[in-house]
């Protein structure tokens, strides 16, 4: 059932899908003030679309993803209208809804100041209060380009020109004196946008390329009620406190240096230790699960990537060493993934069905030429390390091995405290993709996706479908995770590949002596270590669990006369593998305790005269509070038990 709020404040429940005639009159009359859009056969459309329509549809409110996106898309047009009213010289670029609100890019002489954003926000509220209807209309490509050229909207012209060769009508939306190139959907009027907040103005290259002009991007959010906006702003403040890009630097997990380069973070000792611990743990767990460790080159010749298909499908995302177009000279590229290298392990000698499944794992450093506008702390970088692996197997082994990959990934994400916030996406190809980025035939893709869909359903995976999100060689299951601001990224992938074995001539001798092509699963178990560290910092607000904390215990002596006993305790715990330090600075005890608290230490030990005399330590746990006095043996047993259980 969907709950719709009527204008009089009462609630009415309707079924998700029902004949249009039953409710369309109410929607058309504006009775359902919480309705944002409708979904017909999976396609989101304007509310006005179904008026007089004889069909079944779903009414999407602000509580739904589709409803929020429609609401925020309309709010982005209100933002653009307000800017054009106040700054007519501004050129419009794009203004999409995003996971946490919306933004609009403007071409201006200088970015908006905080005072100017306040002025724009006030104008947006006037536009919303006026309840201006939004009307859709179309123009031919020629008409649209001419009209936009006359308006001086050079970015809109560029977008129109890309579609001109199709000959299809170009869609626009109009609200009062303002119109914008847009496919919709939108709200019926501007009236529902009751509460709006412009959050920031930053620089963003047109289309994310540093080769293009830097535009001014205004980030914003809007809600139907002021109370919803107030709650959202509170959440944003909490997000800022947890943001790994801020907290990770303050706690000295990583840094960046302009002269080193964007997207190339430097892990400081604390961050490097956490990544090392994660890598060792993952490699040990994978070994127990039958994975064979490999170590392959960081680069390869152009010809190698041509065999794999990466040269044709991924060249723009690779770092090239040499001239990629001069076939007379040797040219190399840093690897963007490990799969073609690990295939060489399988190809090292003739394989039989007895060798399969062959599970290959590697701690792989990869390089991807991400757009500069996409860089973000440790989450989006150009060099990163990943728990990569490839399983070469017989077709009849596919479901069982896929299940094993999924269970392994879920175990690792659960252990680091992230699984409960993960979602699953079945990423499929788009046969209509204009860039033709996929290998293989329609039949091969339909078979691969049918097989993967059956496996996911058999395993009971609750997933959404992502069209045009597949790898160029096969469909995949993406495990998605959101950062503190709601931006979603893929943290783990499991991909089915029925194509690349043929490219590399991979064969095995089957039971009957015939030669067959294997299937391949591309997978990660924990994904990118840098991204995992970022998400752990955000999830735990910098207070990493004892088992993975770079510094697990800090000893705080009350006076210098207690140092000898402190060294004795340190040496004993350190010999057992505990990461422990002594704060022997000439500072007061209170200062040292505050310092350990600010550093988010899991365990503090205070040692004074009483502890030295009784051969004990005074223990304070960040998780459990004051634990009183313990002997060093009692403390060590507790620490080792918590570490072994990976207590969060």
């Amino acid at each position: 059932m969907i709950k719709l709020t009527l204008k009089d404040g009462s609630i009415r429940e309707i079924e998700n899908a029902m004949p249009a005639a039953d409710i369309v009159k109410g929607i058309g009359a504006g009775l359902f003030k919480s309705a944002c859009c409708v979904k017909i056969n999976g396609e989101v459309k304007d509310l006005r679309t179904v008026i007089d329509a004889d069909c079944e549809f779903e009414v999407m409110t602000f509580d739904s993803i589709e409803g929020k996106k429609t609401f925020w898309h309309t709010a982005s047009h209100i933002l653009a209208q307000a800017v054009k009213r106040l700054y007519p010289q501004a050129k419009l670029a794009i203004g999409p809804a995003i996971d946490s609100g919306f933004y609009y890019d403007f071409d201006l002489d200088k970015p908006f100041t905080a005072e100017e954003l306040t002025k724009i926000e006030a104008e947006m509220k006037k536009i919303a209060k006026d309840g201006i209807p939004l009307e859709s209309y179309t123009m031919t490509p020629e008409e649209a380009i001419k009209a936009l050229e006359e308006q001086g909207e050079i970015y809109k012209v560029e977008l129109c020109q890309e579609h001109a060769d199709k000959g299809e009508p170009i869609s626009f939306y109009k609200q009062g004196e303002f119109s914008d190139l847009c496919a919709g959907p939108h709200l019926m009027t501007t009236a529902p946008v009751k509460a709006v907040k412009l959050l920031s103005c930053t620089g963003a290259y047109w289309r994310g390329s540093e080769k293009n002009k830097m535009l001014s991007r205004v980030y914003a959010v809007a809600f139907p009620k002021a109370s919803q906006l107030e709650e959202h702003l509170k959440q944003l403040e909490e997000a800022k406190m947890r943001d790994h890009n801020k907290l990770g630097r303050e706690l000295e997990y990583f840094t960046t240096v302009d002269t080193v380069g964007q997207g190339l973070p430097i892990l400081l000792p604390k961050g490097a230790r956490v990544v090392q611990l994660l890598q060792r743990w993952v490699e040990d767990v994978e070994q127990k699960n039958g994975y064979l460790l490999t170590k392959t080159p960081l680069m390869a010749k152009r010809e190698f990537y041509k065999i794999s298909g990466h040269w044709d499908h991924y060249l723009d995302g690779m770092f090239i060493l040499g001239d990629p177009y001069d076939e007379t000279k040797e040219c190399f590229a840093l690897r963007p993934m490990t799969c073609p290298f690990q295939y060489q392990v399988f190809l090292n000698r003739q394989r039989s069905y007895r060798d399969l499944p062959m599970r290959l794992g590697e701690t792989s450093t990869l390089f991807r030429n991400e757009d500069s506008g996409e860089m973000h702390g440790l989450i989006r970088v150009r060099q990163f390390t990943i728990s990569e692996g490839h399983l070469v197997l017989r077709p009849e082994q596919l479901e069982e091995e896929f299940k094993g990959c999924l269970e392994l990934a879920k175990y690792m994400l659960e252990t680091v405290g992230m699984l409960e916030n993960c979602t699953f996406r079945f990423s499929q190809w788009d046969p209509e993709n204009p860039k033709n980025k996929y290998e293989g035939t329609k039949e091969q893709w339909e078979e691969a996706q049918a097989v993967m869909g059956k496996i996911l359903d058999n395993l009971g995976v609750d997933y959404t479908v992502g069209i045009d999100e597949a790898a160029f060689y096969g469909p995949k299951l993406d495990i998605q995770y959101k950062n503190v601001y709601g931006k979603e990224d893929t943290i783990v992938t499991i991909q089915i590949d029925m194509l690349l074995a043929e490219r590399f001539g991979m064969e095995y001798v089957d039971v009957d002596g015939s030669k067959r092509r294997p299937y391949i699963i591309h997978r990660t178990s924990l994904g990118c270590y840098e991204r995992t560290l970022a998400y752990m910092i955000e999830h735990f607000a910098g207070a990493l669990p004892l088992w993975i904390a770079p510094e697990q215990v800090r000893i705080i002596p009350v006076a210098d006369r207690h140092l000898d006993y402190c060294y004795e305790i340190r040496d004993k715990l350190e010999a057992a593998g505990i990461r422990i330090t002594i704060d022997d600075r000439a500072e007061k005890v209170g200062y040292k305790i505050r310092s350990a608290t600010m550093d988010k230490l899991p365990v503090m030990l205070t040692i004074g005269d009483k502890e030295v005399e009784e051969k004990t330590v005074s223990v304070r746990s960040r998780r459990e509070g004051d634990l009183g006095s313990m002997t060093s043996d009692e403390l060590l047993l507790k620490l080792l038990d918590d570490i072994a259980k990976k207590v969060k």
Side-chain angles (χ1 to χ4, degrees), residues 267-284:
L267 293 182
L268 300 173
K270 289 169 67 173
R273 180 65 71 197
V274 173
V275 168
Q276 180 194 54
L277 293 166
L278 288 171
Q279 289 176 1
R280 288 175 174 174
W281 169 61
V282 169
E283 289 179 357
D284 288 345

Side-chain angles (χ1 to χ4, degrees), residues 248-466:
R249 295 172 192 271
E250 290 175 353
L251 293 174
E252 297 188 351
Y253 278 92
F254 77 99
T255 188
T256 51
V257 180
D258 289 343
T259 52
V260 171
Q262 196 175 15
L264 298 171
I266 294 172
L267 293 182
L268 300 173
K270 289 169 67 173
R273 180 65 71 197
V274 173
V275 168
Q276 180 194 54
L277 293 166
L278 288 171
Q279 289 176 1
R280 288 175 174 174
W281 169 61
V282 169
E283 289 179 357
D284 288 345
V285 172
E286 288 185 345
Q287 182 175 332
K288 291 177 182 177
N289 281 268
Y291 281 80
L292 303 173
L293 186 64
T294 68
K295 188 172 179 60
T296 56
L298 298 180
M299 67 180 76
K301 295 166 63 175
R302 166 179 47 212
E303 290 71 22
F304 187 64
Y305 294 113
K306 285 188 175 182
I307 296 173
S308 69
H310 291 97
W311 199 258
D312 295 326
H313 295 279
Y314 207 78
L315 184 60
D316 289 343
M318 297 166 68
F319 288 102
I320 308 300
L321 308 177
D323 186 344
Y325 306 107
D326 187 350
E327 299 286 344
T328 66
K329 295 181 180 178
E330 206 168 40
C331 179
F332 287 78
L334 297 176
R335 65 180 184 186
M337 57 278 295
T338 314
C339 46
F341 297 88
Q342 286 197 322
Y343 297 163
Q344 308 312 305
V345 177
F346 176 89
L347 290 166
N348 186 53
R349 61 175 172 83
Q350 177 68 62
R351 303 292 178 178
S352 80
Y353 69 94
R354 295 185 182 89
D355 297 314
L356 306 182
M358 177 181 284
R359 306 184 188 104
L360 304 173
E362 181 166 338
T363 301
S364 303
T365 298
L366 304 179
F367 306 86
R368 295 184 184 174
N369 191 12
E370 301 277 6
D371 290 335
S372 61
E374 295 293 317
M375 300 298 104
H376 177 61
L378 296 176
I379 290 177
R380 184 73 69 171
V381 292
R382 286 173 169 156
Q383 176 184 313
F384 56 94
T385 304
I386 192 169
S387 58
E388 195 162 15
H390 298 86
L391 291 79
V392 187
L393 43 95
R394 299 159 66 189
E396 55 267 31
Q397 297 170 327
L398 181 60
E399 182 165 351
E400 188 63 25
E401 291 302 313
F402 191 98
K403 177 182 178 182
C405 292
L406 179 57
E407 288 178 344
L408 181 60
K410 290 171 73 173
Y411 161 72
M412 290 188 169
L413 290 170
E414 169 65 25
T415 303
V416 298
M418 294 167 53
L419 182 60
E420 64 184 37
N421 295 320
C422 288
T423 57
F424 299 85
R425 183 181 72 196
F426 180 8
S427 296
Q428 303 179 4
W429 83 319
D430 180 5
E432 305 300 323
N433 187 288
K435 296 181 181 178
N436 190 28
K437 73 175 188 179
Y438 300 105
E439 285 283 316
T441 64
K442 178 181 178 182
E443 292 73 22
Q444 288 173 314
W445 274 92
E446 288 178 347
E447 178 189 1
Q449 291 184 171
V451 169
M452 187 166 181
K454 181 181 177 182
I455 291 173
L456 294 176
D457 292 339
N458 288 344
L459 296 177
V461 178
D462 182 14
Y463 61 83
T464 59
V465 173

Side-chain angles (χ1 to χ4, degrees), residues 35-78:
C36 295
C37 56
V38 293
K39 185 186 285 187
I40 304 175
N41 297 326
E43 187 175 357
V44 181
K45 294 180 176 290
D46 289 326
L47 291 169
R48 60 182 67 77
T49 304
V50 296
I51 297 177
D52 300 327
D54 185 15
C55 63
E56 290 192 349
F57 59 91
E58 292 180 67
V59 178
M60 314 306 292
T61 68
F62 187 79
D63 293 332
S64 68
I65 294 174
E66 296 87 350
K68 282 186 173 67
K69 290 289 181 75
T70 300
F71 191 95
W72 287 336
H73 195 181
T74 301
S76 78
H77 278 224
I78 296 174

Side-chain angles (χ1 to χ4, degrees), residues 530-545:
E530 290 85 354
R531 186 172 289 179
T532 299
L533 172 59
Y535 283 140
M536 290 182 72
I537 290 172
E538 294 188 348
H539 178 72
F540 294 107
L544 299 190

Side-chain angles (χ1 to χ4, degrees), residues 483-619:
N483 69 10
V484 288
Y485 295 108
K487 172 69 169 64
E488 186 176 88
D489 282 297
T490 300
I491 193 160
V492 167
T493 64
I494 307 172
Q495 308 170 16
I496 291 178
D497 176 7
M498 300 180 179
L499 299 175
L500 292 189
E502 182 176 358
R503 274 183 168 269
F504 281 91
M506 298 169 69
E507 294 179 334
Y508 67 93
V509 179
D510 209 352
V511 179
D512 59 3
S514 64
K515 291 187 176 182
R516 298 185 64 187
R517 299 281 186 205
Y519 283 178
I520 299 169
I521 295 177
H522 305 239
R523 52 101 268 176
T524 54
S525 53
L526 191 60
C528 169
Y529 289 105
E530 290 85 354
R531 186 172 289 179
T532 299
L533 172 59
Y535 283 140
M536 290 182 72
I537 290 172
E538 294 188 348
H539 178 72
F540 294 107
L544 299 190
L546 175 69
W547 74 274
I548 198 68
E551 182 184 355
Q552 296 170 313
V553 180
R554 184 176 297 176
I555 301 175
I556 299 174
V558 174
D560 287 350
R561 63 180 178 274
H562 306 128
L563 281 173
D564 287 343
Y565 182 57
C566 291
Y567 294 142
E568 180 183 327
I569 297 297
R570 182 198 62 185
D571 293 346
K572 182 174 184 176
L573 269 59
E574 198 170 57
I578 304 300
R579 296 182 291 280
I580 183 170
T581 63
I582 299 175
D583 189 344
D584 56 4
R585 295 175 296 172
E587 299 285 355
K588 293 181 179 180
V589 172
Y591 178 86
K592 294 180 181 181
I593 291 174
R594 285 193 298 275
S595 178
T597 303
M598 293 296 292
D599 288 342
K600 301 183 183 292
L601 265 292
V603 177
M604 285 183 274
L605 307 180
T606 305
I607 294 178
D609 291 336
K610 180 175 179 291
E611 287 75 25
V612 172
E613 180 180 347
E614 296 178 354
K615 293 297 180 183
T616 61
V617 291
S618 179
V619 184

